[in-house]
Amino acid sequence: MICSLALRGAVKHWKRSLVTAGAVAVSCAVMIAIGSLLNGVNSSFLESVVPNSGHVRIESADADKAANPLGLSTLVADADGAVEAIRTQGDPRIGAVEKLLSFGAILVEDTSGPDPRNLAMRGIGVASDTRFADNARYGLVEGGFLPGGEGICLSQAAARLVGARLGGTVLVLVQDRSSQPWYESLKVTGIFRTESRDFDETTFYIAEPRAAEMLDVPGSAREIRLLLAKPDAAREVARSVAASLAVSMAGGSGRLLVQPWQEINASIVGLLVFVNVMLGIIMALFAVVAGTIIANSSLMSVMERLQEYGTMRAIGLRARSLGKLILLEEAINSLVGALVGMALGSVVVSLLMRNGLDLGGMMESLGLSRYNRPRVDVLWYAGCAVASVAVCLVATGRAARAVGSRSVAESLVTAA
Amino acid sequence: MEHRQHHDILEVKGVTKEYHLGKTVIEALRGVDLAVAPGDFVSIVGPSGCGKTTLLNIIGCIDKPTSGAVILDGVDVSTFDDNREADTRLARIGFIFQSFNLVGVLDVRENIEFPLILAKVPKAERKARVDYLVDLVGLADFVGHKPDELSGGQRQRVAIARALVNKPSLVIADEPTANLDSATSLVIMEAMRRLNEEEKVTFIFSTHNELIEKYAKRILSIKDGRITGERRVAAAEALA
């Protein structure tokens, strides 16, 4: 009977029900949309940026202090030895170990004309079967990614700027270890496109052995990256690798810095924490606003229906049961609102997934995609719905207490 | 709590009621004594603000006296907590209000059945009791109607049926005809009197309508919170 009364009350007083359901729906939808966006940013970071930068990175301890971050004076001199030492260590947590050699270069149009086009870029020497360089490997629009370790893989934008095309050649001009200029004509074997224009216009890939040969730094690398089976173990693995290298590389050329991904991406982690907190605050504000609207709406609703409630109590309904009736009615409204909110949130999320949300160039500079796409998490949807209903019930509790605390006579007199 | 063997269904002993409006104390009842026997049909009359409604509220356990005792079926109900008051209202008291006070979302049958559901009466028994009462108040053709589809008189008859459905010891009616026209008022009073005579239902009702008060067997006059007079109404006078 109480359920039936609550349901009929919600239908009869549909305007009030609409206010409650609307407030719940909006707050639920906002929480779903913001939460999914946050989930998208976090996932993008954890699944793209973190593995792409390596869960653990080893580089020269002097790399940070170098005036030219692409200079050859701050390489890991005996990178091959370090890689061998790590592999010998046989740590089962380490999935892959790989050398990367980044360097400064000028890409020059391979033409016999008088004024060849050129572009100052950053070359990255990687293994042809690299586990990194995801954005280029997955963004290939023509050719392959350094097939057989041959050629050069550059972006569509760079190819356009230097007049290169797939199968054609381009000149790569570098300065080797002894500051002598060196150039090679490389065949364009792959063309990629990423979401970052900056990246596309500044980065190309060649095979790591070819890069070492051109730069005359055999066995060296800019950095060594480790991929782990469980990224959470990065700090422990970094400590273990550092200890191992300190022994095996003692007396070697230069100190090494071993960092877990949390330290490598400290600025992004900090920014993400900030973004998470800010969006969390926005979600909380929405919940508070929705709660206030619902609380006031409920209070007005019960005050308008004081005679009805007073009559029920006069007939013999206990105050506690009346409170349950009021809460049940609002629970029905909030459930409807939560369902509508989930549907609304899904529409917003699917629109954002299709188009992405442009978060500006700052995200690119951090290695994240400029266009954030939300990530759907069913648990989060359910959590938002439950939270919205809970906010509604807490807000309605005030109204229920207000009615319950009045005497029956007061309720009837007030109504009269 | 006091249990006694007693003939009266209701005893009101030295009941006072004070309301505090800021620093002003309003004495709504100033020591009311009253006894009602089973099957009585009592009218409480007096001008507006004399304390009629306050007295009925206290008798009906929907308000508490400042002092004094209200003994219903031999039990002092004035000391009950909220839950026991609610249980007492459900089991022993029926209410008929001036403005009918039906539950708008329930139809006639459901309004009458509502107290039975609260009292956890089995479904078959509920149906039988409601069927009997809708016949008794002449609303058998309107059981599926909502209150806003009924006339004032019909609504008040629903309220009467609802008040009687749990077979209460006492039915309290606060100005039951105040919102009705003269002809409908007489129909309602006739219905109440018939229930009193045929079903032996004990009624206490308030009114300031002289024509209505004569339906009672006893008329209590109240003024400034005190009962100032009582007279019995002869059957001939009531029917005149």
Side-chain angles (χ1 to χ4, degrees):
Chain A
M1 185 65 169
I2 295 285
C3 289
S4 169
L5 267 175
L7 185 60
R8 293 186 204 189
V11 172
K12 182 171 183 185
H13 303 277
W14 62 272
K15 285 182 184 169
R16 289 262 176 238
S17 300
L18 210 59
V19 171
T20 302
V24 170
V26 169
S27 63
C28 183
V30 167
M31 284 198 285
I32 284 173
I34 291 178
S36 299
L37 272 174
L38 265 182
N39 196 13
V41 173
N42 293 336
S43 300
S44 162
F45 171 66
L46 290 172
E47 292 167 14
S48 170
V49 175
V50 169
N52 224 24
S53 64
H55 294 130
V56 175
R57 184 177 69 187
I58 301 156
E59 62 180 358
S60 163
D62 300 325
D64 278 355
K65 298 162 197 154
N68 176 9
L70 295 177
L72 301 181
S73 60
T74 52
L75 297 178
V76 178
D78 187 10
D80 284 343
V83 169
E84 188 54 35
I86 293 165
R87 286 185 177 144
T88 308
Q89 192 183 340
D91 190 332
R93 293 172 296 181
I94 300 172
V97 185
E98 197 176 318
K99 292 187 297 174
L100 285 93
L101 179 56
S102 54
F103 55 95
I106 296 173
L107 220 57
V108 185
E109 182 181 10
D110 194 359
T111 175
S112 54
D115 191 14
R117 287 175 278 181
N118 62 75
L119 196 59
M121 297 187 79
R122 175 183 61 154
I124 302 179
V126 293
S128 56
D129 59 348
T130 183
R131 300 276 297 274
F132 302 102
D134 284 356
N135 46 2
R137 286 191 294 131
Y138 295 122
L140 278 172
V141 288
E142 286 181 89
F145 187 81
L146 307 175
E150 292 301 319
I152 180 170
C153 185
L154 72 169
S155 72
Q156 238 175 5
R160 191 180 61 250
L161 288 169
V162 296
R165 59 183 171 75
L166 187 72
T169 55
V170 65
L171 297 178
V172 178
L173 180 62
V174 298
Q175 202 173 35
D176 69 11
R177 187 173 54 168
S178 52
S179 299
Q180 296 299 310
W182 180 270
Y183 75 89
E184 272 199 35
S185 173
L186 296 175
K187 184 179 176 186
V188 178
T189 53
I191 294 179
F192 63 84
R193 183 176 61 206
T194 71
E195 286 183 346
S196 169
R197 192 174 154 190
D198 280 354
F199 182 87
D200 285 2
E201 290 181 355
T202 57
T203 311
F204 67 84
Y205 292 93
I206 61 172
E208 185 268 328
R210 172 62 63 89
E213 188 185 330
M214 285 171 65
L215 297 166
D216 192 22
V217 287
S220 300
R222 175 75 56 199
E223 58 190 84
I224 300 165
R225 291 181 187 174
L226 275 61
L227 278 181
L228 307 182
K230 291 182 179 174
D232 290 345
R235 286 185 194 278
E236 285 175 33
V237 172
R239 271 196 295 274
S240 150
V241 167
S244 165
L245 290 180
V247 174
S248 63
M249 306 294 284
S253 50
R255 290 179 304 115
L256 299 178
L257 179 65
V258 184
Q259 289 179 298
W261 62 265
Q262 293 92 335
E263 289 172 23
I264 300 168
N265 303 292
S267 57
I268 308 180
V269 171
L271 180 77
L272 285 179
V273 168
F274 175 74
V275 169
N276 276 279
V277 168
M278 288 310 290
L279 291 180
I281 289 171
I282 291 172
M283 282 195 282
L285 281 176
F286 263 92
V288 168
V289 170
T292 307
I293 291 170
I294 293 164
N296 288 327
S297 169
S298 306
L299 200 58
M300 288 174 73
S301 175
V302 296
M303 287 306 162
E304 283 170 5
R305 295 159 68 183
L306 215 48
Q307 187 188 51
E308 187 179 320
Y309 295 138
T311 303
M312 288 181 188
R313 288 186 65 194
I315 289 169
L317 186 70
R318 288 184 173 191
R320 192 179 174 82
S321 300
L322 179 62
K324 281 184 194 166
L325 171 66
I326 293 168
L327 283 176
L328 196 57
E329 189 172 320
E330 289 298 59
I332 291 168
N333 291 333
S334 62
L335 275 175
V336 171
L339 289 174
V340 172
M342 285 170 82
L344 205 62
S346 300
V347 170
V348 173
V349 166
S350 65
L351 284 174
L352 289 173
M353 282 173 86
R354 190 180 304 163
N355 304 317
L357 183 67
D358 188 353
L359 296 178
M362 185 185 71
M363 303 305 279
E364 280 183 357
S365 66
L366 293 170
L368 293 164
S369 170
R370 180 188 181 102
Y371 297 96
N372 179 248
R373 289 187 168 78
R375 177 72 63 94
V376 174
D377 180 349
V378 176
L379 275 180
W380 177 252
Y381 272 52
C384 289
V386 170
S388 305
V389 172
V391 165
C392 178
L393 292 183
V394 169
T396 306
R398 183 178 153 220
R401 280 195 299 276
V403 176
S405 64
R406 280 173 182 265
S407 73
V408 182
E410 266 183 316
S411 301
L412 293 168
V413 168
T414 307
Chain B
M1 191 166 52
E2 200 178 355
H3 290 274
R4 294 180 302 183
Q5 289 290 325
H6 210 284
H7 294 302
D8 289 329
I9 201 168
L10 172 73
E11 269 189 289
V12 177
K13 290 182 174 177
V15 163
T16 66
K17 179 67 181 177
E18 293 175 356
Y19 293 107
H20 295 261
L21 291 176
K23 290 179 181 173
T24 310
V25 178
I26 297 165
E27 291 180 279
L29 295 177
R30 305 176 190 216
V32 173
D33 294 299
L34 167 68
V36 176
D40 224 342
F41 198 9
V42 181
S43 167
I44 297 173
V45 299
S48 293
C50 69
K52 298 191 297 288
T53 298
T54 304
L55 178 58
L56 291 181
N57 284 348
I58 288 172
I59 291 171
C61 293
I62 58 178
D63 207 351
K64 283 188 182 298
T66 306
S67 65
V70 178
I71 296 160
L72 183 67
D73 289 334
V75 179
D76 185 357
V77 295
S78 60
T79 57
F80 281 3
D81 63 15
D82 279 358
N83 285 342
R84 289 197 70 189
E85 277 184 347
D87 294 345
T88 303
R89 289 193 298 268
L90 179 63
R92 298 177 188 278
I93 302 168
F95 286 96
I96 301 168
F97 299 98
Q98 178 181 333
S99 44
F100 323 127
N101 291 30
L102 300 178
V103 180
V105 295
L106 302 180
D107 63 25
V108 167
R109 169 175 285 281
E110 291 165 334
N111 261 291
I112 298 170
E113 195 180 11
F114 188 49
L116 292 173
I117 293 170
L118 293 181
K120 299 184 170 59
V121 174
K123 195 172 180 180
E125 195 181 331
R126 290 203 309 258
K127 184 179 182 313
R129 186 83 187 134
V130 174
D131 286 345
Y132 171 74
L133 281 167
V134 290
D135 276 340
L136 196 69
V137 296
L139 288 172
D141 294 335
F142 297 89
V143 286
H145 287 57
K146 290 279 168 57
D148 55 9
E149 297 164 348
L150 301 174
S151 68
Q154 287 170 327
R155 288 185 210 185
Q156 200 58 302
R157 279 188 278 158
V158 177
I160 291 171
R162 184 181 65 185
L164 296 174
V165 76
N166 266 341
K167 300 180 182 171
S169 309
L170 183 65
V171 173
I172 293 169
D174 188 10
E175 308 224 17
T177 59
N179 282 347
L180 301 173
D181 60 61
S182 305
T184 311
S185 297
L186 296 180
V187 170
I188 292 298
M189 290 316 297
E190 278 297 341
M192 285 170 59
R193 187 161 67 180
R194 189 158 48 84
L195 288 165
N196 174 250
E197 286 172 358
E198 294 173 7
E199 304 281 322
K200 305 300 177 199
V201 179
T202 308
F203 279 96
I204 303 178
F205 70 96
S206 67
T207 184
H208 50 246
N209 183 332
E210 286 183 10
L211 199 62
I212 298 302
E213 70 185 47
K214 287 177 185 170
Y215 276 86
K217 292 175 183 170
R218 285 169 68 195
I219 301 175
L220 299 173
S221 300
I222 187 166
K223 188 178 178 185
D224 296 333
R226 288 193 179 90
I227 292 180
T228 54
E230 175 180 351
R231 70 187 176 94
R232 295 206 166 263
V233 181
E237 185 186 352
L239 295 170

